[in-house]
Amino acid sequence: MQSASPEAVAAPQIAGVVERCHEVLAPECVITDPQQRRTYECDGLASYKVVPALVVLPETTAQVRAVVTACADAGVPFVARGSGTGLSGGALPHAEGVLIVTSKMRSILDIDLANERAVVQPGVINLDVSKAVASDGYYFAPDPSSQQVCSVGGNVAENSGGAHCLKYGFTSNHILAVDVVTPDGELVELHAGTPGYDLLGAFVGSEGTLGVVTSITVRLLRKPETVQTLLAGFPSTDEAGGAVSAIISAGVTPAAIEMMDALSIEAAEQAVQCGYPHGAGAVLVIELDGPATEVEHTFAEVERHCGDHGAFEIRVAADDHERAMIWKGRKSAFAAVGRISPAYIVQDGVIPRTSLPEVLSRIARLSADSGVRVANVFHAGDGNLHPLVLFDDSEDGAEQRAEQVSGAILDLCIEQGGSITGEHGVGADKVRYMGRMFTDEDLDTMQRVRCAFDPRGLCNPGKLFPTPRLCGEVPGPRRGVHPLTEAGLADQF
């Protein structure tokens, strides 16, 4: 297959882009120094590193437009980046391109409580939205584990979820409008609920491949009347998984159901001393919210199902402090694993909830057969797995074995009718798995959508698609050298 090759034409033009960026940005917001650029060589997935040719930090929509227009005029690729917390390499820079960092765009532009919405710049930290309206009894529902540092712009790009997306949905359910700078520098507004094609729906979750968002209108929710949080310890993940299925089958929709296995509990205990039930092979963190009478009724039902499936200890948070302590272990789990393993891979797959016991059992067998340890932390309510594949990167071949186990887990998710990603995105990391989940015809159709927004392939190239064709190219077998390759305008790989 063929792909436009921005790097083939970008290098001579980058100096011109630097000059135009200096016309609109403060000197300290145009970073050309190699050591400073290296600071941005990766996002939260540090196994992929690329030093960008240029880093810019715009503060306004007009500055973003000027940078993107300069890139478009010069044929230079560009990548947008928020806080850099992504776990799929979605904000991995391009070696011959411009990295547009939105960390200086952190203003909350408007709060409209009467209409339950706020307008924010893309660099605003997720949790800061909730803090800004907390005293009025409102909050912003999407709550990825990194919500203390991740940006709303990044949430839009990846359609982030979080522990409470089981009840409240993903970011796409809470975005009402966005201002977008298209790959050719035009500024457009996309709104929810307008007649015609759902372009806002296409943009949210497009992983930065369709344009750069510069303003986001988010939905605000009223805080629930009551919140109840429960921690239950089980002998193993089998019993815990059985309790999850029983709760959901009974028609109860908690705000969150999170599961951790023994290895992840061990890591969390070492990191934050969360005091989870001693000897537990698995724990569930279950949260219910809503009207007090409803929560009281369903909470009793949840306790009963946990008891029926072997929970040997159940704790109920008495206040906000105890609730925070229960969540502390869960929310620290990813980072905590670093205390029990020199290196690890964070995986993100989805399975039907009813497949939980079988899939967890097969992951355990994969781990035993390969000798590669796997810790499981996941959103049990919606089947979004986050296996943490542990390895010692100083040991020859260990990373390759971990990669094999990680890939086998994704194959297992696909086999069960699930997905290779639930909330982390495809990015650069899972490009190679897209062909396992989708047919060539599926990928061609998606590629045509991308080309409608970005026919030259300048906006976050190398992400999402394994081997994209040129825009407008007819799918089918290839023979001989592509004319654009022969002309030196495209690469074949």
Side-chain angles (χ1 to χ4, degrees), residues 377-395:
V377 184
F378 55 96
H379 310 307
D382 54 9
N384 187 183
L385 307 178
H386 291 311
L388 304 166
V389 185
L390 316 184
F391 64 98
D392 183 348
D393 52 358
S394 66
E395 180 184 330

Side-chain angles (χ1 to χ4, degrees), residues 279-303:
V283 296
L284 291 180
V285 177
I286 304 173
E287 194 158 275
L288 295 164
D289 64 14
T293 53
E294 175 186 315
V295 169
E296 182 180 0
H297 171 74
T298 53
F299 201 80
E301 197 168 355
V302 167
E303 284 187 290

Side-chain angles (χ1 to χ4, degrees), residues 163-212:
H164 293 83
C165 66
L166 173 63
K167 182 174 182 178
Y168 294 102
F170 286 75
T171 298
S172 58
N173 300 100
H174 303 274
I175 302 301
L176 300 173
V178 293
D179 287 351
V180 176
V181 175
T182 66
D184 60 1
E186 184 183 0
L187 180 65
V188 300
E189 298 178 10
L190 304 178
H191 294 267
T194 53
Y197 293 114
D198 181 10
L199 296 180
L200 178 61
F203 187 83
V204 177
S206 61
E207 303 195 21
T209 61
L210 305 184
V212 181

Side-chain angles (χ1 to χ4, degrees), residues 130-338:
S130 292
K131 287 180 178 177
V133 295
S135 61
D136 295 300
Y138 286 87
Y139 74 111
F140 179 50
D143 64 337
S145 296
S146 58
Q147 71 175 144
Q148 296 188 49
V149 290
C150 68
S151 68
V152 179
N155 298 163
V156 169
E158 302 298 336
N159 192 22
S160 302
H164 293 83
C165 66
L166 173 63
K167 182 174 182 178
Y168 294 102
F170 286 75
T171 298
S172 58
N173 300 100
H174 303 274
I175 302 301
L176 300 173
V178 293
D179 287 351
V180 176
V181 175
T182 66
D184 60 1
E186 184 183 0
L187 180 65
V188 300
E189 298 178 10
L190 304 178
H191 294 267
T194 53
Y197 293 114
D198 181 10
L199 296 180
L200 178 61
F203 187 83
V204 177
S206 61
E207 303 195 21
T209 61
L210 305 184
V212 181
V213 65
T214 60
S215 173
I216 306 158
T217 303
V218 303
R219 187 192 310 277
L220 301 174
L221 298 184
R222 282 189 176 276
K223 288 183 179 177
E225 179 183 355
T226 301
V227 179
Q228 285 279 8
T229 307
L230 172 150
L231 174 69
F234 294 84
S236 74
T237 55
D238 286 347
E239 288 87 351
V244 172
S245 294
I247 290 167
I248 302 296
S249 298
V252 177
T253 304
I257 305 184
E258 302 288 297
M259 189 188 298
M260 297 171 63
D261 70 3
L263 198 52
S264 60
I265 295 169
E266 175 191 336
E269 289 290 353
Q270 288 190 26
V272 298
Q273 296 80 49
C274 48
Y276 282 179
H278 181 69
V283 296
L284 291 180
V285 177
I286 304 173
E287 194 158 275
L288 295 164
D289 64 14
T293 53
E294 175 186 315
V295 169
E296 182 180 0
H297 171 74
T298 53
F299 201 80
E301 197 168 355
V302 167
E303 284 187 290
R304 179 172 60 80
H305 287 300
C306 287
D308 289 347
H309 287 81
F312 61 83
E313 183 173 343
I314 295 176
R315 301 179 197 165
V316 180
D319 52 33
D320 287 345
H321 173 72
E322 289 190 9
R323 179 174 301 109
M325 288 305 298
I326 289 176
W327 277 109
K328 190 174 182 179
R330 166 61 186 91
K331 295 202 171 186
S332 69
F334 284 10
V337 166

